[in-house]
Amino acid sequence: MPDPRHRLGLWAETATATWLTSRGWTVLAQRWRCPEGELDLVAIDTDGVLVAIEVKLRSSGRSGDPLESVDRRRPRRLRAALGRFRGTPDRPIGTSMRVDLVSVRPAADDQWRLSHHIGIDAWLADRHLATNDSSRRIEAMYGRPMP
């Protein structure tokens, strides 16, 4: 029997990809793997930047905030994997790359709150990841029911 966390994670990644696409992004890959690790999503944003998106889902508040699970090593590993992605044949080679995080949490009325935290690799280079830093965060509600 498949692990329900795997199914929930895949749902959150698909919901995030759908949301980003609706905002004009181009999703290039989902669950892309290489020796440096796995990238949940790889996309080109509206400015042409190659972005690795780490998706963190919490189905309840008991597990804490999704941002709390990101330590200093993870963005470095994700950035290394994104560099590997960029270097593979037939991939877009741009000058800019970054690592973002989208946290997915339940909200009222079968809605899900997607919080897009931009450039977490730069945040962690300077300081710890601040959960209340709204200057680099975009939020949206997602109404599709969870599987």
Side-chain angles (χ1 to χ4, degrees):
M1 175 181 262
D3 185 346
R5 292 175 298 178
H6 177 77
R7 193 175 84 222
L8 287 175
L10 184 58
W11 174 85
E13 291 166 8
T14 301
T16 298
T18 300
W19 178 56
L20 292 173
T21 300
S22 76
R23 294 179 54 223
W25 290 44
T26 302
V27 176
L28 303 174
Q30 185 170 350
R31 294 200 171 186
W32 188 82
R33 295 173 191 211
C34 67
E36 289 79 11
E38 180 181 277
L39 299 174
D40 293 340
L41 296 170
V42 180
I44 302 286
D45 74 2
T46 57
D47 294 324
V49 176
L50 183 64
V51 184
I53 301 104
E54 178 78 355
V55 179
K56 291 291 183 187
L57 170 85
R58 293 294 184 262
S59 57
S60 73
R62 293 182 307 213
S63 301
D65 191 285
L67 295 174
E68 294 171 356
S69 66
V70 178
D71 62 12
R72 289 185 179 276
R73 293 175 306 217
R74 181 167 302 242
R76 283 193 294 263
R77 181 186 56 78
L78 294 171
R79 192 165 179 85
L82 186 60
R84 168 85 61 153
F85 180 89
R86 184 171 70 174
T88 58
D90 300 323
R91 299 290 185 204
I93 298 175
T95 57
S96 299
M97 297 188 320
R98 78 166 185 267
V99 177
D100 292 359
L101 180 129
V102 172
S103 62
V104 181
R105 294 172 301 198
D109 300 328
D110 291 329
Q111 297 277 311
W112 290 85
R113 180 175 310 280
L114 280 68
S115 299
H116 181 186
H117 304 272
I118 300 167
I120 65 167
D121 50 339
W123 291 10
L124 289 172
D126 296 334
R127 65 188 194 294
H128 70 283
L129 185 60
T131 59
N132 61 357
D133 185 354
S134 61
S135 64
R136 297 177 182 244
R137 183 177 66 210
I138 300 166
E139 292 202 0
M141 299 302 286
Y142 193 78
R144 185 173 161 205
M146 182 174 61

